[in-house]
Amino acid sequence: MELIVSDVAVARGGIPVLEGVNLSVSSGTALVLRGPNGIGKTTLLRTLAGLQPPLQGTVTLPPEGIAYAAHADGLKATLTVTENLHFWASVNGQGGVEEAITRMNLADLRDRRAANLSAGQKRRLGLARLLVSGRAIWLLDEPTVSLDAASVALFAGVVREHLVRGGAAVMATHIDLGIPEAEVLDLSAFRANRHIPAGHGFDEAFA
Amino acid sequence: MSIWEYANPKKFSETAARILPVVAPLSALTLLVGLIWGFFFTPDDYKQGATVKIIYLHVPSAMMAINAWGMMLVTSLVWLIRRHHVSALAARAAAPIGLAFTLIALVTGALWGQPMWGTWWAWDPRLTSFLILALFYLGYIALWQAVENPDTAADLTSVLCIVGSVFALLSRYAVNFWNQGLHQGASLSLDKEENVSDVFWLPLLVCIAGFILLFVSLVLLRTVTEIRLRRLAVIEARERVE
Amino acid sequence: MIALLVRDLRLAIRAGGGFGLGLAFFLLVAVLVPLGVGPEGGLLAKIAPGILWVGALLACLLSLDRIFALDFEDGSLDLLATAPIPLEGVVAIKALAHWLVTGLPLTLAAPLLGVLLNLPLTGHGWLVLSLFLGTPALSVIGAFGAALTVGLKRGGLLLSLLVLPLYVPTLIFGAEVVKRGAAGLSVEAPLLLMSAITLGSAAALPFAAAAALRINLR
């Protein structure tokens, strides 16, 4: 079970942002992506998730291996906490909803509609979805936005447990999560050199 | 030397710049000859009188209205399969021309219909299908304009063009089923025996050739414009980044 | 897949809009047309098949943009695209859910409106049957249009412009079934052709729609 990225270039809005990215994540390891705003963290994560094709290079993934958590949590305001989780659990063919609710400290909120949750509570529910995804590699885009210190610690604990169980995680984040075993990768080193065409970017023929 | 060399925007533009000065005047000349011959040097029809002469505009534009969509379908497929930008841009360039031909066919049809059938508009199957074809063109053009990212737009419009082609054909048959119509049968066919008589046929052929040349020159011209626009956008994007 | 269907239905019921709006719109059309063309029964009976079909089609159109737009906005579509369900299946299920909350209620309500429009009694059975077999095509074609326009800010109007021409064959055959049925003629040909369009759309368009979604999610 390994995620291997070799010589990948990604573009946002037709402009190459990162190139020559090499990284690999295997069972039990976590990788934290760092870099200033706009460097392409989200774009890279979306590429790893298979939502957009890389400009060049290859991403090797175990089949159905990734769970992606974006800025948006994918929650339905009119469904309760339990219903939201049950939906994602059954889409992924998994159980464990009760356990996920307890682990993310949502037990008191289980019958509340997502519309009536605070931003931090929504975030916790969004992250609880990872636990019912049954996927080994978590791709997390700013997972701790709107979480308080206690929740960040709670979430860090969940990630570490996932690693111990043989999972892996790639996280884009600015804060120190408190996961000492995580490696840090600064994406600034891969900033695309925009003076030189990136190879077969679509617009190259027109330049 | 493969045909795909022309998929390079630069090569395409250079070639277009060489062909256009020949094709454009040729199309003007052919149209002029065909229309003058048709309008002034053919006899009136014994039944339809002088009104029959609108055939020299009506039939070629109707043919090209359909052929333009066919060309868009082919270039859309080429874009989806081979990812040549020029192909997608050519489809984009052809759409307004196809729409214009469709409208010309509709308007000349109405002008012809008034003295012949006593009405400007009838829900005749052919007229109706051309009206529907115009709607397909409108939707296609609107989708191109609504999507900002040019490659996304090219992909989406290509998918629409393929699905639209199937539904346009279905509509044609549905409309035939719905109303048998007033429209006369086809004026042209490859079988010479079935054609309108030679006196009308020859100038009509010249006009059709003229319309085809006109279509080719307009598509070349507009495709080159689209290539330049795209190039401009790339240069601007670069400058913003630097 | 079933979970997705259940969720979409539950959302439609909780949000309220789904059933209600489409049906109310359909009713309004059936009320406004007689007010516009006059109360003469013979005329109404003659145009009833067309009015009912056009009304059903427009009512269906009202809720199309919600098929994917809501899931796109809250990020669910990204998550569904990375989930183990094929995106083609997602499209098919969402089209089915759309049909269950719009097409099916419209079909069931249609005979009532047929009475308002003086549709001859012999036509009612054919009206229900033609809507039952034809409205699924409207939902699937609509899902394709919604997939094309999902990322756009002002997608609603464009969606109508794209989808309505695609509705032409279904509309023609559907209304023809009712017209012929009401007149006591054989309806076999249009009924079979319309069903063929429904089956063909249901089989092929989820693939085109999923392709459009993938393009829009990039």
Side-chain angles (χ1 to χ4, degrees):
Chain A
M1 198 282 308
E2 205 173 14
L3 164 71
I4 302 166
V5 172
S6 47
D7 194 29
V8 157
V10 296
R12 184 180 53 233
I15 301 167
V17 284
L18 291 171
E19 62 187 12
V21 180
N22 288 295
L23 57 87
S24 77
V25 180
S26 55
S27 273
T29 61
L31 184 67
V32 172
L33 304 176
R34 288 272 158 81
N37 286 338
I39 186 75
K41 295 188 291 288
T42 299
T43 312
L44 181 60
L45 282 174
R46 286 183 70 84
T47 309
L48 298 187
L51 289 168
Q52 67 179 68
L55 269 186
Q56 60 181 36
T58 51
V59 177
T60 319
L61 281 171
E64 307 212 329
I66 55 101
Y68 174 58
H71 294 287
D73 289 312
L75 302 175
K76 289 297 171 190
T78 50
L79 299 184
T80 66
V81 168
T82 321
E83 284 168 341
N84 267 305
L85 267 187
H86 261 298
F87 167 66
W88 288 113
S90 45
V91 161
N92 287 286
Q94 302 287 319
V97 171
E98 282 310 312
E99 196 201 339
I101 286 180
T102 329
R103 295 264 300 281
M104 287 312 291
N105 197 14
L106 290 162
D108 298 340
L109 307 167
R110 68 172 66 237
D111 292 322
R112 197 180 285 190
R113 290 191 174 192
N116 302 327
L117 296 178
S118 76
Q121 290 166 336
K122 272 186 200 159
R123 196 71 222 184
R124 291 215 306 269
L125 175 53
L127 295 171
R129 184 183 57 78
L130 295 167
L131 291 169
V132 297
S133 69
R135 300 288 179 87
I137 302 171
W138 291 357
L139 304 175
L140 309 172
D141 196 352
E142 302 287 358
T144 53
V145 168
S146 30
L147 291 184
D148 57 19
S151 301
V152 170
L154 180 75
F155 177 62
V158 168
V159 172
R160 294 182 74 177
E161 206 180 309
H162 179 61
L163 299 181
V164 168
R165 287 184 185 180
V170 181
M171 293 170 277
T173 180
H174 290 288
I175 64 160
D176 185 16
L177 276 177
I179 304 177
E181 58 268 47
E183 290 172 48
V184 174
L185 181 71
D186 193 338
L187 288 178
S188 308
F190 304 109
R191 186 194 291 273
N193 181 354
R194 282 126 188 191
H195 301 277
I196 301 165
H200 43 87
F202 286 160
D203 283 325
E204 298 318 322
F206 292 92
Chain B
M1 177 74 193
S2 122
I3 186 172
W4 302 116
E5 270 184 37
Y6 296 98
N8 180 307
K10 229 176 226 160
K11 175 99 180 165
F12 182 90
S13 302
E14 285 165 12
T15 316
R18 254 183 286 127
I19 296 177
L20 260 176
V22 183
V23 182
L26 198 63
S27 94
L29 188 73
T30 322
L31 273 178
L32 213 62
V33 169
L35 288 178
I36 290 176
W37 184 0
F39 284 166
F40 301 109
F41 299 97
T42 56
D44 289 354
D45 186 77
Y46 75 98
K47 234 174 21 196
Q48 309 194 7
T51 56
V52 75
K53 290 181 174 177
I54 207 163
I55 195 177
Y56 302 110
L57 282 174
H58 181 72
V59 170
S61 56
M63 282 177 74
M64 291 319 291
I66 296 168
N67 292 348
W69 187 277
M71 178 220 137
M72 280 156 54
L73 177 61
V74 172
T75 47
S76 294
L77 283 170
V78 169
W79 158 249
L80 285 181
I81 295 166
R82 295 193 56 116
R83 313 301 288 178
H84 293 314
H85 289 80
V86 171
S87 192
L89 292 180
R92 180 188 169 127
I97 305 169
L99 178 62
F101 281 136
T102 312
L103 294 180
I104 292 172
L106 280 172
V107 170
T108 52
L111 290 176
W112 195 1
Q114 213 290 323
M116 283 303 100
W117 306 332
T119 170
W120 296 103
W121 180 260
W123 287 94
D124 163 89
R126 279 190 199 213
L127 270 69
T128 312
S129 3
F130 267 80
L131 195 59
I132 295 168
L133 182 62
L135 295 178
F136 275 100
Y137 273 119
L138 276 178
Y140 178 87
I141 296 169
L143 187 61
W144 259 112
Q145 292 183 342
V147 184
E148 263 171 47
N149 182 310
D151 285 334
T152 308
D155 282 337
L156 292 176
T157 51
S158 299
V159 174
L160 176 68
C161 186
I162 294 164
V163 173
S165 303
V166 176
F167 277 85
L169 270 179
L170 282 175
S171 306
R172 176 82 182 96
Y173 286 107
V175 166
N176 258 344
F177 183 88
W178 166 75
N179 184 350
Q180 305 304 330
L182 302 163
H183 204 286
Q184 57 188 299
S187 313
L188 272 183
S189 85
L190 288 178
D191 183 0
K192 208 162 166 272
E193 293 301 304
E194 288 177 18
N195 277 311
V196 288
S197 61
D198 275 0
V199 236
F200 301 115
W201 190 53
L202 289 174
L204 185 56
L205 277 188
V206 177
C207 282
I208 289 171
F211 265 79
I212 293 173
L213 288 171
L214 177 66
F215 177 71
V216 170
S217 355
L218 287 174
V219 167
L220 282 177
L221 195 65
R222 284 184 52 86
T223 308
V224 172
T225 313
E226 294 288 349
I227 290 173
R228 287 185 180 151
L229 275 173
R230 181 72 186 262
R231 204 178 151 199
L232 194 63
V234 172
I235 292 169
E236 279 178 348
R238 288 252 160 101
E239 285 193 343
R240 269 201 307 276
V241 167
E242 277 158 18
Chain C
M1 300 265 251
I2 292 167
L4 181 61
L5 182 64
V6 170
R7 182 194 74 149
D8 269 21
L9 293 179
R10 193 179 270 161
L11 287 173
I13 294 164
R14 294 224 180 133
F19 295 100
L21 275 181
L23 270 181
F25 180 85
F26 195 30
L27 175 69
L28 274 175
V29 170
V31 171
L32 287 181
V33 166
L35 294 178
V37 303
E40 190 209 323
L43 177 65
L44 284 177
K46 204 161 169 237
I47 61 174
I51 301 301
L52 289 169
W53 254 94
V54 171
L57 188 145
L58 293 177
C60 200
L61 196 66
L62 276 183
S63 50
L64 283 183
D65 61 332
R66 297 166 59 101
I67 296 184
F68 296 116
L70 297 179
D71 279 342
F72 181 76
E73 281 158 19
D74 66 19
S76 303
L77 206 54
D78 280 345
L79 302 179
L80 282 171
T82 55
I85 314 177
L87 207 48
E88 288 78 5
V90 171
V91 172
I93 290 291
K94 285 191 151 284
L96 176 62
H98 179 262
W99 180 72
L100 287 175
V101 296
T102 55
L104 190 60
L106 291 178
T107 306
L108 298 177
L112 211 69
L113 305 187
V115 173
L116 283 181
L117 290 173
N118 275 14
L119 183 72
L121 221 54
T122 45
H124 277 81
W126 296 118
L127 175 68
V128 172
L129 187 66
S130 72
L131 283 173
F132 184 75
L133 294 174
T135 44
L138 302 184
S139 289
V140 180
I141 297 169
F144 168 67
L148 280 179
T149 54
V150 72
L152 300 175
K153 277 169 216 92
R154 283 164 289 106
L157 205 60
L158 179 64
L159 176 60
S160 316
L161 184 60
L162 296 183
V163 162
L164 283 177
L166 301 177
Y167 278 175
V168 166
T170 310
L171 169 69
I172 288 179
F173 291 129
E176 195 72 24
V177 168
V178 187
K179 234 181 289 170
R180 293 190 179 191
L185 301 169
S186 157
V187 299
E188 202 174 318
L191 195 62
L192 286 178
L193 287 166
M194 188 187 66
S195 312
I197 290 174
T198 302
L199 292 175
S201 309
L205 280 183
F207 292 92
L213 279 181
R214 286 199 188 93
I215 294 163
N216 269 322
L217 286 179
R218 278 206 304 248

